[in-house]
Amino acid sequence: MNLRRAHMATFPARIETLEIALTSLAPQVDEIHLVLNEYDEVPAFLAKFGNVNPVLRGEDFKDVGKFVPRPAPDDFVFLVDDDLQYHQRYCDWMIERASEIGADKFVIGLHGSIYQVFGEHTSRKRKLFYYSKSLRQSVCVDELGTGTVLALGKNVAPLEYMASSQKFVDVRFAKWCFENGLQQVAVARPRKLIRTIRNSGPSIYRTFTRNNPPVIFDEMTEYVGKSRQLGQKIGKQIGFLERINLRGR
């Protein structure tokens, strides 16, 4: 049996958005493995979610926490974020796309990037396939945002590989996928399959990523622009009406 698992990491400043995110996901999956960074005890409200497995490890993994739980090889693993609200058909849609494209050799997601390369230099300039916007046909990309990813358990990078990538897990995971012959794909989808939950707390992008630390570029050069399938469109096209209004909404 292929379990549906969601892997999420959180911290106390996100407690309000966390409840909204969990409420949107809990009915769609068998298990939610929730890594509680900076917590001394499990928040009481989590008891109302019968399929949430809180993980207290006494270590602040930050966003690497999504890679702490170990799934079975054939599990459907949704890597998710605590500040995103997922449509009630999000998981069904993603599994349908993974089955269509092929989950063995492809890792799929909504938030994808194709970066510009100038000679031997990687640029942060990119073509972005933003997660809340529609996309007519799936396309092979350099990198996916790991709050929007579906992969088989065997295609989720191990914690040992991801452990030193706090605050840039998208980059490290993309590098691991490339090294292991897995193509990342931004999949065809309707608009607003995922929505942002607005919050005033700190974000990794604002405090770290947008400052372009050299470590990010060092790792990006290992995979950006190097996939033979980069930019290729795969799978079926979805129609206009489905792109603006997901059936079963």
Side-chain angles (χ1 to χ4, degrees):
M1 177 181 175
N2 299 91
L3 282 181
R4 293 186 179 194
R5 302 164 54 106
H7 291 190
M8 180 187 291
T10 192
F11 61 107
R14 291 279 178 84
I15 194 163
E16 292 183 3
T17 64
L18 172 63
E19 187 166 4
I20 298 170
L22 291 175
T23 298
S24 71
L25 282 166
Q28 303 190 55
V29 296
D30 299 302
E31 303 170 351
I32 300 178
H33 297 267
L34 178 64
V35 174
L36 296 165
N37 295 315
E38 302 179 29
Y39 277 91
D40 296 320
E41 59 184 14
V42 176
F45 80 88
L46 293 181
K48 73 178 183 180
F49 298 103
N51 59 348
V52 170
N53 174 32
V55 180
L56 277 173
R57 290 278 294 266
E59 179 178 346
D60 184 5
F61 290 98
K62 291 188 167 51
D63 47 347
V64 174
K66 285 179 278 193
F67 297 89
V68 169
R70 272 317 299 168
D74 293 329
D75 286 347
F76 289 116
V77 181
F78 294 89
L79 301 179
V80 295
D81 282 346
D82 59 356
D83 60 350
L84 298 177
Q85 185 175 17
Y86 298 83
H87 189 281
Q88 63 185 4
R89 281 203 57 209
Y90 171 75
C91 292
D92 286 342
W93 180 271
M94 295 292 278
I95 288 174
E96 288 170 10
R97 301 289 75 73
S99 299
E100 169 196 333
I101 294 170
D104 279 336
K105 291 296 182 181
F106 293 93
V107 171
I108 71 168
L110 298 193
H111 197 69
S113 298
I114 297 177
Y115 290 97
Q116 293 184 22
V117 178
F118 301 99
E120 297 181 354
H121 301 286
T122 299
S123 168
R124 289 292 286 176
K125 292 182 179 180
R126 58 182 171 166
K127 181 175 183 180
L128 177 63
F129 302 91
Y130 192 69
Y131 60 80
S132 68
K133 294 184 177 181
S134 66
L135 184 62
R136 186 178 185 187
Q137 190 172 10
S138 301
V139 60
C140 297
V141 296
D142 284 310
E143 181 184 298
L144 291 171
T146 54
T148 74
V149 160
L150 168 62
L152 291 180
K154 65 183 179 180
N155 293 335
V156 175
L159 177 61
E160 295 76 17
Y161 187 94
M162 298 296 298
S164 59
S165 63
Q166 290 184 351
K167 300 183 180 181
F168 59 100
V169 295
D170 298 354
V171 170
R172 180 66 60 82
F173 183 56
K175 180 172 174 282
W176 183 86
C177 287
F178 179 75
E179 291 171 352
N180 286 273
L182 298 167
Q183 176 61 58
Q184 296 199 6
V185 176
V187 292
R189 71 293 188 121
R191 64 187 179 98
K192 297 182 180 179
L193 199 56
I194 297 178
R195 297 172 184 259
T196 303
I197 309 169
R198 299 299 176 188
N199 68 87
S200 58
S203 77
I204 289 173
Y205 176 78
R206 289 193 296 266
T207 61
F208 182 80
T209 309
R210 73 178 179 184
N211 295 321
N212 295 329
V215 65
I216 291 181
F217 288 104
D218 291 344
E219 298 216 3
M220 288 175 65
T221 57
E222 298 295 319
Y223 63 87
V224 164
K226 295 186 177 180
S227 168
R228 293 182 179 179
Q229 294 176 279
L230 186 64
Q232 291 182 11
K233 294 181 179 180
I234 58 175
K236 67 179 183 180
Q237 296 181 357
I238 61 173
F240 174 75
L241 292 178
E242 194 165 27
R243 277 183 279 146
I244 63 172
N245 187 19
L246 181 59
R247 291 184 304 236
R249 184 168 178 164

